[in-house]
Amino acid sequence: MKHRKPSTSTVARAAVNIGVAAGAGLAMTTATASATTGPSGGAAIAVDLAHSRADRTHVHDFDETFRVHEYGPSVAVTANNRAMAESVGCSPLSPCRSIALSFQIVTTSGRNARLVHATNIGRAANEHCPSCQTFAGAYQFVVATPRAFTLQAGARRELAALGRRAAELQSSTLPVSRVRERADAISREVKAILDREAARAPRAGRNDPEADFIPFVTMRRHVV
């Protein structure tokens, strides 16, 4: 499996990233970003990309990423998630198979949490490639809460298990329509976990009415 590590640039109070390394399951890393000096908090940018390309010299290709970005109270959050799959120039007798899956989870809090600038794009292209199987699935989840919170250890373990399931699709010989079904099933389980976590997130209270809103999870899905 070809795997490109997503890039994440943050100037937030804290960030926790969970990533899937190629062929190695789910690995967890913790990084503390630079604290901001202004009174309004920080800014954060999360960028994740899965990109597969199959051709005559590399008939089967699979790329997958599954990452969680946890940010504390922030002035602004930008989240960009993309899955790009290409099949190029394979013959009908030896068709290409190209699959790209990207799962991005972003949590943020504070009065600006509802204003996340989010982009989620999936693109699949067959170029002179009859009978080729090409699938791109981009799944993005944004958790907005009025006050900072962190995912519980149990939720982290569940997400790690789902990340491993996503990575295991590399070895699947199912048609891409079935791979899509399995990716969709994983996304529904991710949403259920995050809904449960958001439900337990603390409310802001009367002291900060502008930031007093019900925590919520926005899911974006783009599959082609």
Side-chain angles (χ1 to χ4, degrees), residues 148-159:
F149 90 112
T150 57
L151 297 171
Q152 293 181 318
R156 291 177 182 277
R157 287 192 295 269
E158 291 176 281
L159 291 173

Side-chain angles (χ1 to χ4, degrees), residues 132-164:
C132 292
Q133 297 187 67
T134 309
F135 171 57
Y139 302 87
Q140 184 184 58
F141 309 83
V142 177
V143 184
T145 61
R147 294 176 60 185
F149 90 112
T150 57
L151 297 171
Q152 293 181 318
R156 291 177 182 277
R157 287 192 295 269
E158 291 176 281
L159 291 173
L162 291 175
R164 288 191 291 271

Side-chain angles (χ1 to χ4, degrees), residues 20 45 51 91 96 108 123 144 178 180:
V20 182
I45 301 174
H51 184 196
S91 72
C96 293
T108 185
R123 289 181 180 168
R178 296 291 304 280
R180 175 184 300 188

Side-chain angles (χ1 to χ4, degrees), residues 135 139 175-188:
F135 171 57
Y139 302 87
V176 293
S177 60
R178 296 291 304 280
V179 173
R180 175 184 300 188
E181 291 175 2
R182 295 196 176 187
D184 282 347
I186 290 171
S187 73
R188 289 192 293 270

Side-chain angles (χ1 to χ4, degrees), residues 3-223:
H3 186 86
R4 297 177 177 82
K5 292 185 178 180
S7 62
T8 302
S9 172
T10 65
V11 193
R13 294 183 181 177
V16 180
N17 297 315
I18 303 174
V20 182
L26 194 76
M28 180 182 296
T29 60
T30 302
T32 300
S34 303
T36 59
T37 57
S40 299
I45 301 174
V47 179
D48 295 293
L49 169 66
H51 184 196
S52 64
R53 187 182 190 279
D55 55 33
R56 289 179 180 270
T57 60
H58 188 67
V59 177
H60 294 166
D61 198 20
F62 177 94
D63 194 19
E64 172 271 339
T65 180
F66 188 108
R67 287 180 64 89
V68 178
H69 310 270
E70 287 189 76
Y71 303 122
S74 304
V75 167
V77 174
T78 297
N80 188 305
N81 185 48
R82 294 173 183 259
M84 319 292 283
E86 301 172 90
S87 293
V88 182
C90 294
S91 72
L93 296 179
S94 182
C96 293
R97 178 182 171 96
S98 179
I99 297 174
L101 299 173
S102 186
F103 295 82
Q104 182 188 67
I105 301 167
V106 175
T107 73
T108 185
S109 60
R111 64 179 62 192
N112 293 322
R114 292 169 288 185
L115 305 177
V116 173
H117 179 68
T119 303
N120 186 62
I121 297 174
R123 289 181 180 168
N126 280 356
E127 298 181 12
H128 309 290
C129 205
S131 303
C132 292
Q133 297 187 67
T134 309
F135 171 57
Y139 302 87
Q140 184 184 58
F141 309 83
V142 177
V143 184
T145 61
R147 294 176 60 185
F149 90 112
T150 57
L151 297 171
Q152 293 181 318
R156 291 177 182 277
R157 287 192 295 269
E158 291 176 281
L159 291 173
L162 291 175
R164 288 191 291 271
R165 279 173 51 189
E168 288 167 0
L169 290 173
Q170 176 194 9
S171 60
S172 173
T173 58
L174 294 171
V176 293
S177 60
R178 296 291 304 280
V179 173
R180 175 184 300 188
E181 291 175 2
R182 295 196 176 187
D184 282 347
I186 290 171
S187 73
R188 289 192 293 270
E189 292 186 55
V190 170
K191 179 66 160 53
I193 293 168
L194 297 178
D195 282 340
R196 185 191 68 210
E197 291 294 286
R200 71 167 184 82
R203 297 286 295 274
R206 296 179 180 177
N207 294 332
D208 192 3
E210 292 186 24
D212 188 19
F213 60 90
I214 298 174
F216 62 92
V217 181
T218 301
M219 175 182 167
R220 296 174 178 86
R221 169 184 176 272
H222 192 182
V223 298

